[in-house]
Structure formats: C-alpha cells, structure tokens
Amino acid sequence: MCVASQETSKYAAIGTCSHHCTTSSSDSSAAARMTKVLKAKQALAEAFALLLFLGGSCFYVFTVAALGILLGTVAATMGQFGLLAIPVLLVMMLLSGGTTPMESMPVWLQYLMKVISPTPHFVVFSQDVLYRGAGLSIVWPEILATAVIGAVYFAFALRRFRRVIFEG
C-alpha cells in the first residue's frame, strides 16, 4: 500500500510515487485472517447443507417405508408383495422427474405424481440442496409435502394392518 504525502500527489496521476511503496505486514495478516474466516464460513455452510440433506432424506425414507408397509398389508404373501411393489415403485421412480423432466409430462400426470408420490418432491429437494445450495427456508415445502404423503401412507397402512391382524 502506497501512502503518499500531499507533495507527491501530483505523481499519483502518472502512477509513480516518490516514497518506497511496500505492502505492510498488517495488510497481509488481515488478508490471511479474512481467508480463514471465509473458509470456515464455507465449511459451516457445507456441513449445514449435508445435515439438511440427511434430514430431508430421513423424511423420504419414512415415506417410502410407509408405502412399503401399506403394500405389505395388501399382499398376502411375500411373492405377491414383490410383484406388487415392483410396478408401484418402478412407476413412481420413472415418473418422478429424476430421469425425465416433469414438464415433459401431461399436466394431469404431473399433479397426480406430486399428490401420490414422494419422489418428485425428493428430487426437487435434492437438486435444490445439492446443486443450488438452497437452505431450509427454500426447501421446507418439499420436506413438508414428503412428510404429509408419508403420514397419509402410514395412517392407511396402520389402519389396514390393524384390520388385517385384529379382524382376521
């Protein structure tokens, strides 16, 4: 940093200085401190994004497990469950927007998939958190939608399970 006096200000216009210009040690240590602060802030943001992703993934796992329990209450045997689960889960995955864009589907199918499947919400959530660095204030609607779908599946599964067990 060059500190010139009043008399050398005329040289500043042409880019020269009559004093010896050096970078002070306080400027370099301030830059080092700022670099450390920025690295710590980025590490904290990455840790929060990882925790947010893991938390949202837990809601998704709960919802898919509730759907699996619901399908298990419909099937009488393990073989029937396998044959029932494959098309249901496969169709939900293929129409989720993860492999093909949701916008390329008919509008009625988009709405149907967003109502009955947790996967489109998880795809949007994952893309927002992992690719765009979104925070909880942006992705909470997707987490809430996944949790609501999971709660509905779990309620139906619980009701059906009780009916199968206790009513024979």
Side-chain angles (χ1 to χ4, degrees):
M1 172 118 199
C2 181
V3 179
S5 65
Q6 291 273 348
E7 61 191 37
T8 58
S9 63
K10 61 183 177 183
Y11 298 112
I14 58 171
T16 61
C17 181
S18 63
H19 297 288
H20 181 62
C21 296
T22 60
T23 302
S24 67
S25 63
S26 65
D27 289 340
S28 63
S29 65
R33 286 192 305 263
M34 182 59 82
T35 303
K36 286 181 184 178
V37 167
L38 291 175
K39 284 182 181 179
K41 184 178 177 184
Q42 183 171 357
L44 185 63
E46 289 173 0
F48 179 74
L50 178 64
L51 286 176
L52 179 62
F53 180 72
L54 290 176
S57 297
C58 288
F59 283 103
Y60 178 69
V61 167
F62 163 74
T63 305
V64 173
L67 176 62
I69 293 169
L70 179 63
L71 293 175
T73 62
V74 172
T77 65
M78 192 67 173
Q80 286 179 352
F81 171 75
L83 291 174
L84 181 64
I86 289 172
V88 169
L89 296 176
L90 186 64
V91 167
M92 283 188 168
M93 294 295 167
L94 288 175
L95 298 176
S96 68
T99 55
T100 59
M102 291 282 289
E103 294 79 21
S104 66
M105 298 177 201
V107 175
W108 65 269
L109 185 59
Q110 291 178 31
Y111 288 128
L112 179 67
M113 290 311 296
K114 288 182 182 178
V115 169
I116 67 168
S117 177
T119 311
H121 302 287
F122 184 70
V123 167
V124 171
F125 162 78
S126 299
Q127 289 173 346
D128 285 348
V129 172
L130 297 176
Y131 296 145
R132 297 177 188 97
L136 184 61
S137 62
I138 294 174
V139 297
W140 72 266
E142 303 302 330
I143 294 173
L144 181 65
T146 304
V148 167
I149 293 170
V152 168
Y153 283 157
F154 189 73
F156 279 132
L158 185 61
R159 181 172 173 237
R160 191 151 163 75
F161 183 75
R162 285 183 178 168
R163 190 168 20 139
V164 167
I165 294 295
F166 296 121
E167 294 177 12

